[in-house]
């Protein structure tokens, strides 16, 4: 049975990165469709005021902590999380592991051209990787039906959805049974990183849990979003022990 803990009501699987990769690959062998969520502190705070998002996170097959703040907050929970399991790294590990297999990927999201560039770069990075389709994240209702049909036709093993939270989580929940992918994962802005449009923080920042600070100094326009981090910390401290 999966061990879980809760941070401000959001359930997280108590797993290391290696365990999360193994769990995700295990879902590929199970019947039906499955989805994986990667909440960070911003998404946790959003879920507190969005009952639909909270419900989706509680139904996901695997929920991993994409943010050192979530790992810190778990020390006030029933079980402490062992490490940060970033969604970007999770998908990179899956592509590396599955490049030599028959499993396939579909990239959905990002600005026009980003997913296609990301796919080309990932297939070069991981020889043998099979990406069967891409589509950007800009669509109306008519285009959405075409996207769903295309994904269903391509029948990917893993569907990566980067539409931003909470849109991506809600889209996966509403459509995963229509598109038929074995596993869907919300990946936020990962396609921009894969495409080379956005650089990840240096390893030292990631090791010290300061990736958020690197984003702030390199993308100062994000400061409004970053204000949610101290609010998250204060909320955790205020509710600890309840």
């Amino acid at each position: 049975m999966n061990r879980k803990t809760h941070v401000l009501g959001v359930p997280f699987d108590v797993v290391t990165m290696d365990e999360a990769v193994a769990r995700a690959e295990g879902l590929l062998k199970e019947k039906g469709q499955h989805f994986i969520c990667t909440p960070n502190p911003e998404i946790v705070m959003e879920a507190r005021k969005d009952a639909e998002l909270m419900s989706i996170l509680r139904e996901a097959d695997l929920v991993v902590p994409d943010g050192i703040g979530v790992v810190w907050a778990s020390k006030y929970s029933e079980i402490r999380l062992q490490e940060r399991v970033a969604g970007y790294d999770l998908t990179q590990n899956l592509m590396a592991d599955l490049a030599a297999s028959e499993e396939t990927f579909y990239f959905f999201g990002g600005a026009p051209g980003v997913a296609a560039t990301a796919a080309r770069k990932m297939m070069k990075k991981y020889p043998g990787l099979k990406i069967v389709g891409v589509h950007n994240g800009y669509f109306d209702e008519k285009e959405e039906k075409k996207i769903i049909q295309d994904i269903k036709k391509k029948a990917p093993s893993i569907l990566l959805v980067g539409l931003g939270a909470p849109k991506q989580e809600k889209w996966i929940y509403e459509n995963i049974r229509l598109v038929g992918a074995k596993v869907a994962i919300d990946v936020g802005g990962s396609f921009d990183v894969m495409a080379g449009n956005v650089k990840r923080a240096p390893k030292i920042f990631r090791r010290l849990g300061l990736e958020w600070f690197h984003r702030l100094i390199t993308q100062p326009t994000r400061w409004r979003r970053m204000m949610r981090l101290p609010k998250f910390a204060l909320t955790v401290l205020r509710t600890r022990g309840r």
Side-chain angles (χ1 to χ4, degrees), residues 6 35 39 146 234:
H6 293 78
F35 64 103
K146 292 181 181 178
L234 289 171

Side-chain angles (χ1 to χ4, degrees), residues 40-43 45-46 163-166 168 188-189 192 212 215-216 219-232:
N40 59 18
E42 290 179 58
I43 296 175
M45 292 300 287
E46 184 69 25
L163 301 176
Q168 59 194 7
D192 280 310
W212 63 270
R215 283 201 300 269
L216 181 59
Q219 298 173 272
T221 53
R222 293 173 59 99
W223 73 269
R224 291 182 190 278
R225 289 179 61 185
M226 290 298 177
M227 288 306 294
R228 295 183 189 177
L229 296 177
K231 187 176 180 181
F232 168 80

Side-chain angles (χ1 to χ4, degrees), residues 11-76:
F12 286 89
D13 288 88
V14 183
V15 290
T16 62
M17 176 61 78
D18 289 344
E19 290 168 341
V21 171
R23 190 83 59 82
E25 292 176 358
L27 292 174
L28 291 171
K29 298 178 176 65
E30 296 181 11
K31 292 182 179 180
Q33 288 78 47
H34 309 275
F35 64 103
I36 297 171
C37 293
T38 61
N40 59 18
E42 290 179 58
I43 296 175
V44 170
M45 292 300 287
E46 184 69 25
R48 282 173 60 82
K49 60 183 182 181
D50 186 332
E52 182 184 1
L53 176 60
M54 181 67 83
S55 177
I56 290 170
L57 294 174
R58 288 175 175 171
E59 289 189 45
D61 296 276
L62 179 62
V63 181
V64 297
D66 187 346
I68 196 67
V70 176
V71 178
W72 164 80
S74 73
K75 69 180 181 180
Y76 299 111

Side-chain angles (χ1 to χ4, degrees), residues 171-184:
W171 195 94
I172 290 171
Y173 188 77
E174 291 170 8
N175 296 292
I176 188 166
R177 284 161 188 82
L178 296 177
V179 300
K182 293 180 187 176
V183 174

